[in-house]
Amino acid sequence: MSLAASHLDSVEATDDRDFNFTARDFDRVRSLIHAKAGIALSESKRDMVYSRLGRRLRALSLDSFKTYLDQLEARNDADEWQAFTNALTTNLTSFFREAHHFEVLAELLKARGRQTPIKIWCAAASTGEEPYSLAITAAEALDSLTPSVKILATDIDTQVLETAQAGVYPEERVDKLDDAQKRRFFRRGAGANAGRVRVIDELREMISFRPLNLLDARYPMRGPFDAIFCRNVMIYFDKPTQRDILGKIAPLLSPDGLFFAGHSESFFHATDIVTSIGRTVYRRTAR
Ligand SMILES: C[S@@+](CC[C@H](N)C(=O)[O-])C[C@H]1O[C@@H](n2cnc3c(N)ncnc32)[C@H](O)[C@@H]1O
């Protein structure tokens, strides 16, 4: 676990117990978010759930988790379901996380050349650092701020998508990028925006941000994609769910397209769907 995450957990664990939160409430939350988003919350997430959903209870002036969960299920209000889901996702990400993937992508882009339109899907885009890293890789590999590359960035969490779309980050988020990248792809904020950077418009225009739940029975987008990044989200799902999702993603990949997974994700239970070709990089399995 990262320092930031463990700090967050300890802060959340010391939260004052304003609301009645029973073992039964926690089990209900776990089964609801599992059914909704596929996310399997372990026992250790009890304090996290209390802290994050406690904010919803406060906002709605409710005094018990039971009342909140009863209302959530009885009213079936899409906005509250979205707020419930947003509260329970984990959105940890960074620019050029798992950097070796971007080197592999750069090779693929150079091999395709500047004239060929290229489509990339980022299937768990979080706050946007991953899709912007894809756009920077495309601009650098094809030596153009307006390459013939379209990136679709999706996530179940509508709140992180808003951050992603804005493309504004605290300066520390881009610390690890080299100076040339910072100068070429970001603008420093001034006045009220001092200490922040904004991604340049050309990169933002390469990307379309859309909500999508990977659990949905059908995906609305049209392939084929030359590359699909689906990183550090499958870890939240059980193996049958992973297989189900891979079965929907693989047909959207071009026959020689690449599927990128997170560092702790492996699909040995789905070799009939995707075939490993290197460090957490896969192709569609030939039929
Ligand atoms: C840990 S972040 C990973 C972000 C990025 N892919 C990376 O590797 O840095 C996981 C993301 O998956 C999203 N997510 C969780 N369940 C999802 C689902 N059922 N459908 C789509 N996205 C989901 C979360 O909202 C979160 O933004």
Side-chain angles (χ1 to χ4, degrees), residues 37 90-93 97 124 130 155-156 212-214 231-232:
T90 297
N91 309 114
L92 188 75
T93 187
R97 182 180 191 186
E130 183 171 279
D155 200 286
I156 194 174
L212 178 80
N213 183 351
L214 289 167
R231 306 189 310 163
N232 303 303

